Amino acid sequence: MLFQKTARSAAALFGFLFCLSLAAQAQTSTLPNVTILATGGTIAGTGATSTTTVGYTAATVGIQTLIQAVPEMTKIANVSGEQVFQIASENMGNEHWLLLAKRVNTLLAQPTVDGIVITHGTDTLEETAYFLNLVVKSRKPVVVVGSMRPSTALSADGPINLYNAVMLAGSQEAIGRGVLVAMNDQINGARDVTKSNTTTTDTFKASELGMLGYIQGGKPYFYRTATRKHTVETEFDVMNLSTLPQVEIAYAHANVGPVAVEALVASGAKGLIHAGVGNGSLPAKVRPALSAARKKGVLIVRSSRVGQGIVARNGEANDDELDFVAGDNLSPQKARILLMLALTKTTNTRDIQKMFSTY
Ligand code: SIN
């Protein structure tokens, strides 16, 4: 009798627990599935003390620790993590980008993945974001995030930035907007954003063109959208590539000579970005070296070190005559990315010029 009573109570308890667990499952199944791909940087950095905000070591904390540090994320998404590599982003190479892009595309092709967050060092974050903006083949959200203070610092910005990035990557609002950068409660587009200050937490800006929106109270608020083509609208496909063409940047300044251009061409560059002064002007001693490089088949893009504004085609140089490309308003480091990808498709200057007006 006693045994039957105990068995009935146990069955009732089991049933109750089973229902609870079903309810919990139903609750989490309504949450978006967001995968965090960790690559290193200050967001995964550690300093000697809580006041060490310079002179710390980047890329030391692994993905699981990053996730455990923000348990609040489990309320807004089903979060999983992968350590793709662990580097300070000044060491980011084309090989890292190819690996990362392939992983992002593979994951986003799975119906069970709703969005991706990439944790990244801030030094080259804008470059990785723009590269992915051109080669990710999905409308699902991809959000790149970093921090300016290491994880051990007082008021570290990594945890809140990561929380916001996961929220954004799981949101409907971020679908189809290209690769986004979420830091400091602001949302920026990959093409326009740049690191604008060496150390402050509000460093990521799209200065003249402006941010796309804010994150406030755990929600994204968009006010504008990217107009240049990106992701599924581009012609670039890196899934079968194991290398990218060598493209280098030659920086112009007062008293500049041909040394850098000649050395870069001799090193085997297939393309050169002229980071010109002003409107991409060609200093008299650099022009013959660039012209000679073009005659040898090296693609030349005129960009500007100014940081804002369009480099006008046939403005400060006769691009038609020199067979150069004008770099639109891309920074030299972003022009390098577009030229590398362009060279995977064509060496025709006119076609490449069109790409610079499209992406
Ligand atoms: C890095 O870019 O890896 C170091 C600097 C940073 O993340 O802020």
Side-chain angles (χ1 to χ4, degrees):
M1 187 71 178
L2 181 65
F3 171 76
Q4 275 175 348
K5 215 171 159 187
T6 314
R8 266 203 309 273
S9 316
L13 181 65
F14 178 76
F16 176 68
L17 288 176
F18 183 67
C19 287
L20 265 189
S21 123
L22 275 185
Q25 268 176 31
Q27 202 179 14
T28 50
S29 69
T30 64
L31 294 178
N33 299 320
V34 175
T35 303
I36 304 176
L37 299 180
T39 72
T42 294
I43 194 166
T46 44
T49 70
S50 61
T51 53
T52 306
T53 52
V54 289
Y56 56 86
T57 310
T60 56
V61 174
I63 179 61
Q64 292 313 329
T65 309
L66 288 185
I67 292 176
Q68 281 155 19
V70 193
E72 296 83 355
M73 290 190 302
T74 57
K75 297 204 173 108
I76 54 167
N78 299 313
V79 175
S80 57
E82 286 178 28
Q83 192 76 49
V84 188
F85 38 83
Q86 180 74 302
I87 60 170
S89 79
E90 69 258 29
N91 299 319
M92 193 63 62
N94 294 348
E95 67 283 9
H96 295 108
W97 283 345
L98 289 173
L99 180 68
L100 186 60
K102 288 174 188 177
R103 191 67 194 130
V104 170
N105 278 328
T106 304
L107 284 168
L108 290 182
Q110 296 172 15
T112 49
V113 177
D114 297 309
I116 302 259
V117 168
I118 295 160
T119 58
H120 198 290
T122 60
D123 289 351
T124 58
L125 187 150
E126 72 209 53
E127 294 178 55
T128 300
Y130 185 52
F131 179 75
L132 294 173
N133 197 50
L134 295 173
V135 303
V136 165
K137 294 296 154 201
S138 174
R139 287 171 48 78
K140 293 179 187 173
V142 176
V143 181
V144 190
V145 65
S147 78
M148 292 302 288
R149 297 179 182 143
S151 62
T152 43
L154 278 178
S155 293
D157 50 335
I160 184 68
N161 285 346
L162 184 58
Y163 177 85
N164 282 342
V166 165
M167 180 281 300
L168 188 60
S171 74
Q172 293 294 310
E173 290 91 332
I175 294 172
R177 292 190 188 266
V179 174
L180 301 171
V181 173
M183 284 186 59
N184 201 40
D185 297 344
Q186 297 174 347
I187 307 166
N188 275 288
R191 185 182 185 279
D192 300 330
V193 73
T194 195
K195 187 174 185 179
S196 66
N197 184 290
T198 52
T199 53
T200 61
T201 53
D202 64 344
T203 183
F204 280 92
K205 306 268 186 219
S207 304
E208 287 187 339
L209 298 177
M211 69 178 101
L212 303 182
Y214 301 104
I215 295 171
Q216 194 185 65
K219 283 192 197 143
Y221 293 86
F222 279 94
Y223 295 89
R224 64 185 90 248
T225 200
T227 54
R228 291 300 179 97
K229 290 191 174 179
H230 55 73
T231 56
V232 290
E233 300 163 328
T234 81
E235 60 211 89
F236 308 119
D237 180 3
V238 293
M239 293 309 272
N240 294 317
L241 294 181
S242 52
T243 57
L244 290 167
Q246 184 189 344
V247 175
E248 306 284 355
I249 300 174
Y251 199 86
H253 50 87
N255 201 44
V256 67
V259 178
V261 170
E262 285 169 359
L264 293 172
V265 172
S267 78
K270 301 287 178 283
L272 270 188
I273 308 300
H274 167 62
V277 292
N279 188 3
S281 304
L282 293 180
K285 291 182 192 158
V286 175
R287 187 191 152 104
L290 286 175
S291 176
R294 181 69 200 108
K295 286 186 181 128
K296 281 188 192 156
V298 179
L299 258 291
I300 310 294
V301 174
R302 282 193 310 115
S303 70
S304 172
R305 67 178 202 177
V306 168
Q308 305 293 336
I310 303 167
V311 170
R313 183 164 177 87
N314 295 323
E316 287 297 314
N318 189 331
D319 296 303
D320 289 346
E321 202 175 281
L322 290 160
D323 199 28
F324 288 178
V325 172
D328 198 271
N329 70 338
L330 287 178
S331 64
Q333 61 269 30
K334 288 190 183 171
R336 186 185 85 89
I337 291 165
L338 182 51
L339 183 56
M340 281 194 303
L341 290 169
L343 286 170
T344 66
K345 289 290 186 191
T346 180
T347 53
N348 182 294
T349 317
R350 278 193 191 176
D351 292 341
I352 294 177
Q353 183 68 70
K354 258 191 227 150
M355 292 177 188
F356 272 80
S357 309
T358 306
Y359 307 117

